[in-house]
Amino acid sequence: MMDAAVRERPARFDITETATRLFSEIARRTADVEGVSRPAFSDIETATLQFLIDFARSEGLAAEWDAGRNAVFALPEHANAERYILVGSHVDSVPRGGNFDGLAGVLSGLFCLVRARREGTIFPESVQVIAMRGEESAWFGPCYIASKALLGVLSETELSALHKKDGRTLDEHMEASGIDMSPVRGSRPLLDRTAVMAYLEVHIEQGPVLIERNLPAAVVSGIRGNFRYKKISCFGEAGHSGAVPLAYRHDPVLAMAELLNVLDVAWHDFVAKGRDLVVTSGMVSTDQQKHALSRIPDSVEFSLDIRSQDHAMLETMRALVLKHVARIEQERAVRFDLGNALWTSPALCDTSVIEGLAHAFGAIGAQPVLIPSGGGHDAAVFSEAGIPSGMIFIRNRNGSHNPQEAMEINDFAIATAILHQFLTNPPPPRNRAETTGQTAKEPGLMFTDITDIIRQKGNAVRAYSAAASAAREAAVADPSRAVGFFMLAFATQNFADLHYGEALHAVVFDDELARLQKLAETLEAAFNNADIEEWVKAISTVAASLSRDQISQGPG
């Protein structure tokens, strides 16, 4: 059994020391050949939850198992609250994954309760923290299992999914974990959703944006939805690589390559216009039993994962896939078998929660930055259920789902301070009729989105041209910020024109992007300020910088 050591508590709560100790201890107890493995609905996952329960009780908190065999924590006076803010994340991991994915969010919420208990903080609204099971899709296929069960949306198909190793169903594993499956099988919620005023989740960022911007944390604008084809097959005709002329070839690999190239071109075009989109083919293979250097393969298999915060964007890309599949089939005399598309709807975060988190950032002296989440999270399920939801990202190197996750404890402490600030000053509750099903619309393009476009397109000359195009369109679409976007359009286009056709060292691009990032952040900070004088100062500062650059470049 995973019993947490009860230590004599210091007078002042040292989050750094405690976080380091708990992260290290859980990593040690759940270590695999490399990284950690905390399988969904396993004894290891249960033991991890029990460890957290023991720690919480040692700190004087209420800690219990809920109907889904998740661990729920609260200040003693909030344990039976009729209405509460729910903070949570998951404790399971992918096989040989990183220690911070999911666990960081659980500990962040738990430490807010510990701090409140030790310091006597009074939260205006009751707060509960939940450590959930089974968020990762790696073990059974379905994801967000615990949150779906809590909200009564775990489907019969998902319950029949088989474990990747032992072949038993998800239903069997959940029942073996001690869950009464009758309500789950009947799609009846295990949680009263009307009791949850808002859902908050802290999570490591799974991409490079915060690392690139040198920021410890960010507010999440929404979680990208996606449509995915797990296995697309393209069938052609085998032949000798040197004996079959072009006119007689039915090459499935080149057909696949043409489709992916079309989607890549569309991706670049949409991003240049300020649309949110990512396209990935993570698995590509020919038949290993038959493929050879001198053989035209008769088939190829590949995956396709297309994500966006914008549902209309997903529909556009889906239509584009079908259109070009039909065209390529005809032109190259091949056949595609797409299989079934798996859809996940985008989940935008709640406007009032975003505003409250942005205020909390400012209150502790951190810069509030809004970025989308490319990966999925339990917050998406709560948002889909009409519960106002929000997220905080923590800077993290090396992505996630791998042992190289590298979150700094100081960044974790900053994110936890932001969450604590939010909980002590939450946004005023709105009428339930107003909040149900209502989520934040993605705001117009921000100044810093222009530099993101450059990163997404590889920080090369054409990336600056695309950024200039996006900035010009943003200036037309947002007259109140037009002058700022126009200056960024001028700067990016000028750099692209100046260095068109040149072979430049990467450091030149890095330096230019860093300079533009500072200009964009200056504009963003000023235009988020209600004081018009700050706008004028920022515009003057940026204009002076651009003028100096023009002078230094000389005539022509």
Side-chain angles (χ1 to χ4, degrees):
M1 182 176 182
M2 267 181 152
D3 56 327
V6 179
R7 297 188 174 190
E8 183 177 344
R9 292 191 291 274
R12 177 179 173 276
F13 177 47
D14 183 350
I15 186 174
T16 300
E17 186 277 333
T18 308
T20 300
R21 175 168 59 90
L22 292 190
F23 278 122
S24 297
E25 183 63 15
I26 293 173
R28 183 185 70 80
R29 293 168 182 259
T30 61
D32 206 327
V33 175
E34 59 176 345
V36 301
S37 289
R38 297 190 281 267
F41 299 97
S42 67
D43 291 342
I44 294 174
E45 184 188 57
T46 298
T48 303
L49 293 170
Q50 184 63 60
F51 175 82
L52 295 172
I53 287 174
D54 293 342
F55 167 75
R57 288 174 177 168
S58 78
E59 290 288 343
L61 300 175
E64 304 294 341
W65 298 96
D66 72 359
R69 293 292 287 174
N70 307 293
V72 180
F73 315 99
L75 296 171
E77 60 269 29
H78 292 169
N80 298 309
E82 293 183 359
R83 298 261 292 160
Y84 53 88
I85 294 173
L86 185 63
V87 178
S89 195
H90 61 97
V91 299
D92 63 311
S93 77
V94 299
R96 300 185 184 183
N99 193 42
F100 302 118
D101 184 344
L103 184 59
V106 172
L107 289 184
S108 182
L110 187 52
F111 287 164
C112 286
L113 298 181
V114 172
R115 178 179 172 184
R117 178 73 171 166
R118 291 196 185 188
E119 298 178 0
T121 303
I122 297 176
F123 294 133
E125 305 290 350
S126 298
V127 176
Q128 294 189 8
V129 175
I130 185 168
M132 287 179 282
R133 324 180 72 121
E135 188 267 355
E136 302 289 2
S137 62
W139 303 100
F140 294 94
C143 55
Y144 321 141
I145 297 167
S147 50
K148 286 178 178 177
L150 287 172
L151 294 163
V153 294
L154 192 60
S155 70
E156 183 178 345
T157 300
E158 289 171 317
L159 285 171
S160 64
L162 302 180
H163 191 279
K164 66 177 294 183
K165 289 188 176 179
D166 65 24
R168 295 165 60 210
T169 65
L170 171 59
D171 188 306
E172 291 174 304
H173 275 268
M174 293 178 73
E175 190 167 52
S177 296
I179 301 171
D180 178 1
M181 294 300 293
S182 297
V184 179
R185 293 170 188 144
S187 298
R188 297 194 301 275
L190 304 179
L191 174 76
D192 178 6
R193 72 182 66 183
T194 64
V196 183
M197 302 171 64
Y199 175 80
L200 274 295
E201 184 168 354
V202 176
H203 203 280
I204 58 170
E205 190 199 3
Q206 295 167 289
V209 176
L210 295 181
I211 290 291
E212 291 287 341
R213 292 192 185 181
N214 193 28
L215 294 169
V219 182
V220 175
S221 58
I223 300 166
R224 288 183 175 122
N226 64 73
F227 68 90
R228 293 182 290 174
Y229 294 100
K230 188 174 182 180
K231 185 177 76 171
I232 299 175
S233 298
C234 183
F235 300 97
E237 185 176 293
H240 189 286
S241 64
V244 182
L246 176 62
Y248 301 102
R249 289 212 179 198
H250 310 290
D251 190 329
V253 171
L254 293 182
M256 173 198 70
E258 182 175 350
L259 176 62
L260 294 179
N261 183 64
V262 166
L263 298 178
D264 183 55
V265 170
W267 181 13
H268 281 76
D269 289 344
F270 282 123
V271 168
K273 295 175 182 176
R275 303 291 294 275
D276 180 61
L277 180 66
V278 287
V279 179
T280 306
S281 180
M283 298 184 291
V284 177
S285 64
T286 51
D287 189 335
Q288 294 188 18
Q289 300 302 316
K290 297 187 293 184
H291 68 193
L293 178 64
S294 59
R295 184 180 190 269
I296 303 167
D298 53 4
S299 67
V300 65
E301 294 179 349
F302 62 103
S303 63
L304 187 60
D305 182 339
I306 297 181
R307 302 189 181 211
S308 176
Q309 286 187 100
D310 181 353
H311 187 79
M313 183 78 266
L314 293 176
E315 293 286 1
T316 297
M317 290 300 291
R318 162 79 165 151
L320 195 69
V321 169
L322 297 179
K323 172 185 173 182
H324 287 286
V325 160
R327 176 187 61 80
I328 294 169
E329 282 183 327
Q330 184 175 17
E331 293 178 358
R332 291 185 175 271
V334 297
R335 179 174 63 86
F336 285 93
D337 181 358
L338 299 178
N340 295 321
L342 302 175
W343 282 83
T344 301
S345 297
L348 299 180
C349 292
D350 181 82
T351 306
S352 65
V353 175
I354 288 176
E355 292 173 353
L357 289 172
H359 178 76
F361 268 72
I364 72 158
Q367 179 185 350
V369 174
L370 196 67
I371 66 174
S373 172
H377 304 284
D378 288 300
V381 180
F382 286 91
S383 176
E384 284 280 296
I387 296 170
S389 301
M391 291 188 69
I392 299 170
F393 267 170
I394 309 173
R395 174 169 50 189
N396 167 63
R397 290 186 183 277
N398 306 326
S400 70
H401 292 187
N402 68 75
Q404 284 73 47
E405 287 176 2
M407 179 193 75
E408 298 288 341
I409 293 297
N410 285 342
D411 292 341
F412 170 80
I414 290 171
T416 302
I418 292 164
L419 177 61
H420 187 271
Q421 177 67 28
F422 177 92
L423 296 175
T424 54
N425 295 276
R430 293 182 289 172
N431 183 284
R432 188 73 189 173
E434 294 176 354
T435 60
T436 301
Q438 184 178 10
T439 52
K441 289 187 179 295
E442 179 73 2
L445 216 61
M446 297 191 297
F447 296 118
T448 48
D449 287 332
I450 302 303
T451 49
D452 281 348
I453 289 170
I454 296 171
R455 290 188 186 90
Q456 291 169 9
K457 294 182 76 67
N459 194 14
V461 168
R462 73 170 184 170
Y464 288 84
S465 294
S469 176
R472 286 191 290 268
E473 291 186 15
V476 173
D478 190 351
S480 66
R481 294 150 62 95
V483 65
F485 281 117
F486 181 77
M487 287 193 292
L488 289 179
F490 171 81
T492 49
Q493 190 63 63
N494 183 65
F495 183 81
D497 292 343
L498 185 65
H499 298 293
Y500 179 77
E502 293 183 18
L504 296 178
H505 194 280
V507 71
V508 176
F509 291 105
D510 291 341
D511 289 346
E512 178 64 12
L513 183 55
R515 185 183 73 88
L516 286 172
Q517 184 69 40
K518 289 180 180 178
L519 297 181
E521 289 173 356
T522 298
L523 291 169
E524 201 66 62
F527 278 75
N528 284 337
N529 194 314
D531 188 351
I532 300 297
E533 290 187 6
E534 292 299 318
W535 295 27
V536 175
K537 288 179 183 177
I539 291 168
S540 298
T541 298
V542 173
S545 175
L546 295 177
S547 297
R548 283 193 297 271
D549 291 339
Q550 283 289 99
I551 293 170
S552 66
Q553 291 167 8

